[in-house]
Amino acid sequence: MKLTRAIVKSVADALKRAGVEAGQTLIVGVSGGADSMALLYALQATGRDFHVVHVEHGLRGEDSLEDARFVERICNLLGCPYHLVAVDATAEAAQRGKGVQEAARHLRYAAFAEFAARHGAAVLTAHHGDDQLETRLLHIMRGGSLSGLGGMALRSDERGFPLVRPLLETPRAELIAALTEAGHSWREDASNTDPHYLRSRIRHELLPLLRDLQPGFEGPLGRLGERAGEAAKAIEVQFAPLLQHLKATGKIPVEAFKTSPAPRLLADAIVREFQLGAQHVEALLALTSDSNSAPNTTGSAFETAGHRISRTRGHIKIHARARGIRDNRSKPGNNDIATKAATIELKGTHPLLTWTDVKHDCKHDAKHDPGRAIDPDMRTAQLDSDTLKWPLTLRPWKAGDRL
């Protein structure tokens, strides 16, 4: 049986709104789960030609291989081209120093990009309404930006190819109901219910609670997200000349913050442009302040793992920090980290690892509090040395490791 006409029409309308031409080649990412199977059947009902790409991440053993076989069988029944891409997400995570889920996502989209380039295609994924809710809630919980609260777009071209999400306005419950009514089966990924992942807990604990506390909350949150997304675009246009000047010269006048009607949003735009941490918004604003308690004098600065941000003669300057050894007090010849302050050079994409006990760090300038915490960003972590067991061992990621 076919899916409900409403879902098929929703997918067709979404493709039109996304500017996908009638004759354009389509690549559909199909995992075998309910969401992607619903997209697959709905797309077939529209009469569009498409290729199916299934990425097998090598994470769940025989279950993962059975997912691939399941999708291949369905594609053979439907008569649509099927492409299997096998990757090693665990090895990718160890090489890049990232989490397995992030590494899997990177490899998946790299595969999509390759097929999109080969066929001049648009890529379709099965992100649905519940995914959008989870994304917005994650950004709220993490204090994200307006653009983050705006959520995922129907179409984005940031990855170098058209990425379209035709089910973005469809709740997952509707997809499940449509598949069930039509008699279609799907695969279940056990990792989607793993409580170790925050998104999983939002899906299975927070969303049901919110629906119980405020039935229909999805609508108001969606409208709030849409307004936030529009506001973010307007702000991006307003601040574009300042950001272009900053990137070209490495500096921006302090006066730009003082005359801006939204200095915090300007700081947020700068932080996102240079891929700093969200916590650096306040540090950046402190440099622009003229209050007695703020470090507003020439020479005031703060550092992240990749940048130095300083105030000099009426300007805020941002420049990348040179990669080099910052502490030569200990360079172990093996992988045992026996001291509490040392630097070791590594091979690969992250050539330098530095660690230090901040309570006894003699590298700080006299102007800084010697007991200050490290200012973290995406490449910096701060741990309680009293809870660590010395010596530490430097090794690749292993299954079960969590931070």
Side-chain angles (χ1 to χ4, degrees), residues 104-125:
R105 187 181 308 109
H106 170 80
L107 291 170
R108 186 164 59 250
Y109 280 98
F112 293 159
E114 181 180 344
F115 278 92
R118 186 186 307 172
H119 298 281
V123 174
L124 275 56
T125 63

Side-chain angles (χ1 to χ4, degrees), residues 33 53 57 66 68 115 124 150 156 173 195-196 213 316:
V53 174
H57 301 96
E66 182 54 36
F115 278 92
L124 275 56
S156 62
H196 286 104
L213 292 173
I316 300 297

Side-chain angles (χ1 to χ4, degrees), residues 129-141:
D130 286 32
D131 290 326
Q132 185 77 296
L133 284 173
E134 294 164 12
T135 297
R136 284 171 171 151
L137 289 170
L138 276 169
H139 280 282
I140 291 172
M141 294 166 67

